[in-house]
Short mmCIF file of all heavy atoms in Angstrom, two decimals:
data_model
loop_
_atom_site.label_atom_id
_atom_site.label_comp_id
_atom_site.label_asym_id
_atom_site.label_seq_id
_atom_site.Cartn_x
_atom_site.Cartn_y
_atom_site.Cartn_z
N LEU K 1 6.77 17.76 13.66
CA LEU K 1 7.82 16.74 13.59
C LEU K 1 8.99 17.25 12.75
O LEU K 1 8.79 17.69 11.60
CB LEU K 1 7.24 15.45 12.95
CG LEU K 1 7.93 14.16 13.27
CD1 LEU K 1 7.87 13.82 14.77
CD2 LEU K 1 7.34 12.99 12.48
N LYS K 2 10.17 17.19 13.32
CA LYS K 2 11.30 17.72 12.59
C LYS K 2 11.98 16.65 11.71
O LYS K 2 12.94 16.94 11.02
CB LYS K 2 12.34 18.24 13.57
CG LYS K 2 12.93 17.21 14.56
CD LYS K 2 13.91 17.84 15.50
CE LYS K 2 14.45 16.79 16.48
NZ LYS K 2 15.39 17.36 17.44
N TYR K 3 11.43 15.44 11.73
CA TYR K 3 12.01 14.35 10.93
C TYR K 3 11.35 14.30 9.56
O TYR K 3 10.25 14.79 9.34
CB TYR K 3 11.87 13.02 11.67
CG TYR K 3 12.58 12.99 12.97
CD1 TYR K 3 11.94 13.27 14.16
CD2 TYR K 3 13.95 12.77 13.01
CE1 TYR K 3 12.59 13.28 15.37
CE2 TYR K 3 14.64 12.77 14.21
CZ TYR K 3 13.97 13.04 15.43
OH TYR K 3 14.65 13.06 16.57
N SER K 4 12.04 13.65 8.63
CA SER K 4 11.54 13.61 7.23
C SER K 4 10.27 12.75 7.15
O SER K 4 10.11 11.78 7.91
CB SER K 4 12.61 13.03 6.30
OG SER K 4 12.98 11.72 6.71
N ILE K 5 9.38 13.14 6.27
CA ILE K 5 8.11 12.43 6.08
C ILE K 5 8.06 12.00 4.61
O ILE K 5 8.34 12.77 3.72
CB ILE K 5 6.94 13.39 6.41
CG1 ILE K 5 6.98 13.77 7.89
CG2 ILE K 5 5.61 12.75 6.08
CD1 ILE K 5 5.99 14.82 8.31
N TYR K 6 7.70 10.75 4.41
CA TYR K 6 7.59 10.24 3.06
C TYR K 6 6.48 10.95 2.30
O TYR K 6 5.44 11.27 2.86
CB TYR K 6 7.30 8.73 3.07
CG TYR K 6 8.46 7.85 3.45
CD1 TYR K 6 8.57 7.33 4.72
CD2 TYR K 6 9.50 7.58 2.54
CE1 TYR K 6 9.68 6.55 5.10
CE2 TYR K 6 10.59 6.79 2.90
CZ TYR K 6 10.64 6.27 4.17
OH TYR K 6 11.72 5.52 4.51
N LYS K 7 6.74 11.18 1.05
CA LYS K 7 5.70 11.83 0.21
C LYS K 7 4.50 10.87 0.02
O LYS K 7 3.38 11.31 -0.06
CB LYS K 7 6.31 12.18 -1.17
CG LYS K 7 7.37 13.26 -1.16
CD LYS K 7 7.75 13.77 -2.51
CE LYS K 7 8.50 12.73 -3.32
NZ LYS K 7 9.90 12.54 -2.82
N THR K 8 4.77 9.58 -0.02
CA THR K 8 3.71 8.62 -0.19
C THR K 8 2.89 8.49 1.07
O THR K 8 3.38 8.37 2.17
CB THR K 8 4.31 7.22 -0.52
OG1 THR K 8 5.14 7.32 -1.67
CG2 THR K 8 3.24 6.17 -0.73
N ILE K 9 1.56 8.51 0.89
CA ILE K 9 0.62 8.30 1.98
C ILE K 9 -0.20 7.04 1.66
O ILE K 9 -0.71 6.89 0.57
CB ILE K 9 -0.32 9.52 2.15
CG1 ILE K 9 0.52 10.77 2.61
CG2 ILE K 9 -1.41 9.24 3.17
CD1 ILE K 9 -0.29 12.04 2.73
N ILE K 10 -0.27 6.14 2.65
CA ILE K 10 -0.96 4.87 2.45
C ILE K 10 -2.44 5.04 2.77
O ILE K 10 -2.80 5.45 3.87
CB ILE K 10 -0.39 3.76 3.34
CG1 ILE K 10 1.15 3.67 3.20
CG2 ILE K 10 -1.04 2.41 3.01
CD1 ILE K 10 1.66 3.40 1.81
N PRO K 11 -3.33 4.81 1.79
CA PRO K 11 -4.77 5.05 2.03
C PRO K 11 -5.41 3.95 2.83
O PRO K 11 -4.90 2.84 2.94
CB PRO K 11 -5.30 5.08 0.62
CG PRO K 11 -4.44 4.12 -0.13
CD PRO K 11 -3.07 4.28 0.43
N ARG K 12 -6.53 4.29 3.45
CA ARG K 12 -7.38 3.25 4.01
C ARG K 12 -8.07 2.56 2.82
O ARG K 12 -8.75 3.19 2.00
CB ARG K 12 -8.46 3.85 4.92
CG ARG K 12 -9.25 2.82 5.72
CD ARG K 12 -10.23 3.53 6.69
NE ARG K 12 -9.56 4.20 7.77
CZ ARG K 12 -9.12 3.62 8.89
NH1 ARG K 12 -9.30 2.28 9.03
NH2 ARG K 12 -8.52 4.29 9.80
N ASN K 13 -7.85 1.22 2.69
CA ASN K 13 -8.19 0.53 1.46
C ASN K 13 -8.71 -0.89 1.79
O ASN K 13 -8.01 -1.65 2.49
CB ASN K 13 -6.98 0.46 0.55
CG ASN K 13 -7.23 -0.28 -0.77
OD1 ASN K 13 -6.59 -1.31 -1.01
ND2 ASN K 13 -8.12 0.20 -1.57
N VAL K 14 -9.90 -1.21 1.34
CA VAL K 14 -10.50 -2.49 1.65
C VAL K 14 -9.65 -3.65 1.15
O VAL K 14 -9.40 -4.66 1.88
CB VAL K 14 -11.93 -2.61 1.04
CG1 VAL K 14 -12.49 -4.03 1.21
CG2 VAL K 14 -12.86 -1.60 1.70
N ARG K 15 -9.12 -3.55 -0.07
CA ARG K 15 -8.30 -4.62 -0.62
C ARG K 15 -7.02 -4.85 0.18
O ARG K 15 -6.54 -5.96 0.32
CB ARG K 15 -7.96 -4.29 -2.10
CG ARG K 15 -9.16 -4.03 -2.97
CD ARG K 15 -10.08 -5.24 -3.08
NE ARG K 15 -9.65 -6.14 -4.16
CZ ARG K 15 -10.17 -7.35 -4.34
NH1 ARG K 15 -11.15 -7.80 -3.54
NH2 ARG K 15 -9.76 -8.12 -5.33
N LEU K 16 -6.50 -3.77 0.70
CA LEU K 16 -5.31 -3.87 1.57
C LEU K 16 -5.58 -4.62 2.84
O LEU K 16 -4.78 -5.42 3.30
CB LEU K 16 -4.82 -2.41 1.89
CG LEU K 16 -3.38 -2.13 2.26
CD1 LEU K 16 -2.40 -2.74 1.29
CD2 LEU K 16 -3.17 -0.64 2.38
N ALA K 17 -6.78 -4.40 3.37
CA ALA K 17 -7.20 -5.08 4.61
C ALA K 17 -7.51 -6.56 4.34
O ALA K 17 -7.31 -7.41 5.19
CB ALA K 17 -8.43 -4.39 5.18
N GLU K 18 -7.99 -6.87 3.13
CA GLU K 18 -8.34 -8.25 2.78
C GLU K 18 -7.14 -9.12 2.51
O GLU K 18 -7.15 -10.32 2.75
CB GLU K 18 -9.24 -8.26 1.54
CG GLU K 18 -10.63 -7.69 1.74
CD GLU K 18 -11.41 -7.59 0.42
OE1 GLU K 18 -10.79 -7.77 -0.64
OE2 GLU K 18 -12.60 -7.28 0.49
N ALA K 19 -6.09 -8.54 1.94
CA ALA K 19 -4.97 -9.32 1.41
C ALA K 19 -4.35 -10.32 2.41
O ALA K 19 -4.09 -11.46 2.03
CB ALA K 19 -3.89 -8.36 0.90
N PRO K 20 -4.11 -9.96 3.69
CA PRO K 20 -3.49 -10.92 4.61
C PRO K 20 -4.31 -12.19 4.82
O PRO K 20 -3.76 -13.28 5.01
CB PRO K 20 -3.37 -10.15 5.93
CG PRO K 20 -3.42 -8.73 5.52
CD PRO K 20 -4.31 -8.63 4.32
N SER K 21 -5.64 -12.08 4.78
CA SER K 21 -6.45 -13.26 4.97
C SER K 21 -6.33 -14.23 3.83
O SER K 21 -6.69 -15.42 3.93
CB SER K 21 -7.93 -12.87 5.16
OG SER K 21 -8.47 -12.27 4.00
N HIS K 22 -5.84 -13.74 2.69
CA HIS K 22 -5.59 -14.66 1.54
C HIS K 22 -4.12 -15.04 1.42
O HIS K 22 -3.72 -15.74 0.48
CB HIS K 22 -6.00 -13.91 0.23
CG HIS K 22 -7.48 -13.64 0.18
ND1 HIS K 22 -8.38 -14.51 -0.41
CD2 HIS K 22 -8.23 -12.64 0.62
CE1 HIS K 22 -9.61 -14.03 -0.34
NE2 HIS K 22 -9.55 -12.89 0.29
N GLY K 23 -3.33 -14.61 2.43
CA GLY K 23 -1.89 -14.97 2.45
C GLY K 23 -1.13 -14.36 1.29
O GLY K 23 -0.17 -14.98 0.80
N LEU K 24 -1.52 -13.15 0.88
CA LEU K 24 -0.86 -12.54 -0.28
C LEU K 24 -0.50 -11.07 0.03
O LEU K 24 -1.28 -10.38 0.70
CB LEU K 24 -1.80 -12.54 -1.50
CG LEU K 24 -2.12 -13.91 -2.13
CD1 LEU K 24 -3.25 -13.73 -3.16
CD2 LEU K 24 -0.89 -14.48 -2.80
N PRO K 25 0.64 -10.60 -0.48
CA PRO K 25 0.90 -9.17 -0.44
C PRO K 25 -0.04 -8.44 -1.40
O PRO K 25 -0.52 -9.06 -2.38
CB PRO K 25 2.37 -9.05 -0.87
CG PRO K 25 2.63 -10.30 -1.65
CD PRO K 25 1.76 -11.36 -1.11
N ILE K 26 -0.24 -7.18 -1.22
CA ILE K 26 -1.21 -6.45 -1.99
C ILE K 26 -0.88 -6.39 -3.48
O ILE K 26 -1.78 -6.41 -4.32
CB ILE K 26 -1.43 -5.01 -1.41
CG1 ILE K 26 -2.63 -4.32 -2.08
CG2 ILE K 26 -0.18 -4.18 -1.55
CD1 ILE K 26 -3.97 -5.00 -1.89
N ASN K 27 0.39 -6.38 -3.83
CA ASN K 27 0.76 -6.29 -5.27
C ASN K 27 0.49 -7.58 -6.02
O ASN K 27 0.57 -7.63 -7.21
CB ASN K 27 2.20 -5.81 -5.43
CG ASN K 27 3.21 -6.63 -4.65
OD1 ASN K 27 2.87 -7.30 -3.68
ND2 ASN K 27 4.46 -6.59 -5.09
N LEU K 28 0.17 -8.67 -5.29
CA LEU K 28 -0.28 -9.90 -5.95
C LEU K 28 -1.79 -10.11 -5.76
O LEU K 28 -2.43 -10.67 -6.61
CB LEU K 28 0.48 -11.10 -5.40
CG LEU K 28 1.95 -11.21 -5.79
CD1 LEU K 28 2.59 -12.44 -5.15
CD2 LEU K 28 2.12 -11.28 -7.31
N TYR K 29 -2.33 -9.61 -4.65
CA TYR K 29 -3.74 -9.78 -4.39
C TYR K 29 -4.59 -8.89 -5.30
O TYR K 29 -5.55 -9.35 -5.91
CB TYR K 29 -4.06 -9.47 -2.94
CG TYR K 29 -5.50 -9.63 -2.57
CD1 TYR K 29 -6.14 -10.87 -2.67
CD2 TYR K 29 -6.23 -8.53 -2.11
CE1 TYR K 29 -7.49 -11.00 -2.33
CE2 TYR K 29 -7.56 -8.66 -1.78
CZ TYR K 29 -8.19 -9.90 -1.90
OH TYR K 29 -9.51 -10.01 -1.55
N ASP K 30 -4.20 -7.63 -5.42
CA ASP K 30 -4.90 -6.70 -6.32
C ASP K 30 -3.94 -5.59 -6.70
O ASP K 30 -3.88 -4.56 -6.05
CB ASP K 30 -6.13 -6.14 -5.63
CG ASP K 30 -6.99 -5.30 -6.58
OD1 ASP K 30 -6.55 -5.01 -7.72
OD2 ASP K 30 -8.10 -4.90 -6.20
N LYS K 31 -3.15 -5.83 -7.76
CA LYS K 31 -2.09 -4.87 -8.12
C LYS K 31 -2.65 -3.53 -8.63
O LYS K 31 -1.89 -2.56 -8.73
CB LYS K 31 -1.16 -5.50 -9.15
CG LYS K 31 -1.82 -5.80 -10.52
CD LYS K 31 -0.80 -6.47 -11.44
CE LYS K 31 -1.44 -6.78 -12.79
NZ LYS K 31 -0.45 -7.44 -13.69
N ARG K 32 -3.95 -3.48 -8.94
CA ARG K 32 -4.52 -2.24 -9.44
C ARG K 32 -5.16 -1.40 -8.29
O ARG K 32 -5.66 -0.30 -8.55
CB ARG K 32 -5.59 -2.50 -10.50
CG ARG K 32 -5.04 -3.12 -11.78
CD ARG K 32 -6.13 -3.25 -12.86
NE ARG K 32 -5.66 -3.97 -14.00
CZ ARG K 32 -5.64 -5.26 -14.12
NH1 ARG K 32 -6.10 -6.04 -13.14
NH2 ARG K 32 -5.18 -5.87 -15.23
N SER K 33 -5.16 -1.94 -7.11
CA SER K 33 -5.79 -1.22 -5.98
C SER K 33 -4.93 0.00 -5.58
O SER K 33 -3.76 0.07 -5.86
CB SER K 33 -5.92 -2.14 -4.77
OG SER K 33 -4.64 -2.48 -4.26
N SER K 34 -5.60 0.96 -4.89
CA SER K 34 -4.87 2.15 -4.44
C SER K 34 -3.81 1.76 -3.44
O SER K 34 -2.74 2.42 -3.35
CB SER K 34 -5.84 3.15 -3.86
OG SER K 34 -6.55 2.60 -2.75
N GLY K 35 -4.05 0.70 -2.66
CA GLY K 35 -3.04 0.24 -1.69
C GLY K 35 -1.76 -0.26 -2.35
O GLY K 35 -0.66 0.03 -1.93
N ALA K 36 -1.96 -1.04 -3.44
CA ALA K 36 -0.78 -1.57 -4.18
C ALA K 36 0.00 -0.42 -4.80
O ALA K 36 1.23 -0.38 -4.75
CB ALA K 36 -1.25 -2.54 -5.24
N GLU K 37 -0.72 0.55 -5.37
CA GLU K 37 -0.07 1.69 -5.99
C GLU K 37 0.75 2.51 -4.94
O GLU K 37 1.87 2.92 -5.19
CB GLU K 37 -1.06 2.61 -6.65
CG GLU K 37 -1.73 2.01 -7.91
CD GLU K 37 -2.87 2.85 -8.44
OE1 GLU K 37 -3.05 3.99 -7.94
OE2 GLU K 37 -3.56 2.39 -9.39
N ALA K 38 0.17 2.65 -3.73
CA ALA K 38 0.86 3.41 -2.71
C ALA K 38 2.11 2.73 -2.23
O ALA K 38 3.17 3.36 -2.07
CB ALA K 38 -0.10 3.62 -1.53
N TYR K 39 2.06 1.38 -2.03
CA TYR K 39 3.25 0.69 -1.56
C TYR K 39 4.33 0.61 -2.66
O TYR K 39 5.53 0.60 -2.34
CB TYR K 39 2.90 -0.69 -0.98
CG TYR K 39 2.47 -0.57 0.45
CD1 TYR K 39 1.12 -0.80 0.82
CD2 TYR K 39 3.36 -0.20 1.43
CE1 TYR K 39 0.71 -0.66 2.15
CE2 TYR K 39 2.96 -0.04 2.75
CZ TYR K 39 1.66 -0.29 3.10
OH TYR K 39 1.29 -0.14 4.42
N HIS K 40 3.94 0.61 -3.90
CA HIS K 40 4.90 0.72 -4.98
C HIS K 40 5.65 2.03 -4.89
O HIS K 40 6.91 2.08 -5.02
CB HIS K 40 4.24 0.58 -6.36
CG HIS K 40 4.27 -0.82 -6.91
ND1 HIS K 40 5.43 -1.41 -7.34
CD2 HIS K 40 3.27 -1.74 -7.08
CE1 HIS K 40 5.14 -2.63 -7.76
NE2 HIS K 40 3.86 -2.86 -7.60
N LEU K 41 4.90 3.11 -4.68
CA LEU K 41 5.53 4.44 -4.58
C LEU K 41 6.44 4.52 -3.34
O LEU K 41 7.52 5.11 -3.41
CB LEU K 41 4.43 5.52 -4.51
CG LEU K 41 3.64 5.75 -5.81
CD1 LEU K 41 2.45 6.65 -5.53
CD2 LEU K 41 4.50 6.29 -6.89
N LEU K 42 6.00 3.94 -2.23
CA LEU K 42 6.82 3.92 -1.05
C LEU K 42 8.15 3.16 -1.28
O LEU K 42 9.22 3.63 -0.87
CB LEU K 42 6.07 3.30 0.15
CG LEU K 42 6.81 3.28 1.48
CD1 LEU K 42 7.15 4.69 1.96
CD2 LEU K 42 6.00 2.52 2.54
N ALA K 43 8.05 2.01 -1.98
CA ALA K 43 9.23 1.24 -2.28
C ALA K 43 10.21 2.06 -3.13
O ALA K 43 11.43 2.00 -2.94
CB ALA K 43 8.86 -0.07 -3.01
N GLU K 44 9.66 2.79 -4.09
CA GLU K 44 10.51 3.64 -4.91
C GLU K 44 11.24 4.70 -4.07
O GLU K 44 12.41 4.97 -4.30
CB GLU K 44 9.64 4.32 -6.01
CG GLU K 44 9.22 3.37 -7.12
CD GLU K 44 8.29 4.02 -8.11
OE1 GLU K 44 7.95 5.23 -7.92
OE2 GLU K 44 7.86 3.33 -9.06
#
């Protein structure tokens, strides 16, 4: 792929999969999870 690739990689994460069923984004559902950390880095 000749296009840019984000340095951040989003992991397969149980808490990330659970969050929508609770109606919450991951940074409120479990801010210490690897999924929350990854999306913080992506936002940065």
Side-chain angles (χ1 to χ4, degrees):
L1 203 64
K2 62 181 179 181
Y3 298 97
S4 60
I5 296 172
Y6 286 102
K7 294 190 290 287
T8 303
I9 294 178
I10 309 301
R12 189 176 291 279
N13 178 242
V14 173
R15 305 298 274 171
L16 203 51
E18 290 173 351
S21 65
H22 295 269
L24 292 169
I26 189 61
N27 53 338
L28 289 179
Y29 180 62
D30 187 350
K31 64 182 180 181
R32 295 185 185 86
S33 67
S34 60
E37 290 173 8
Y39 276 110
H40 265 291
L41 291 171
L42 181 62
E44 287 175 0

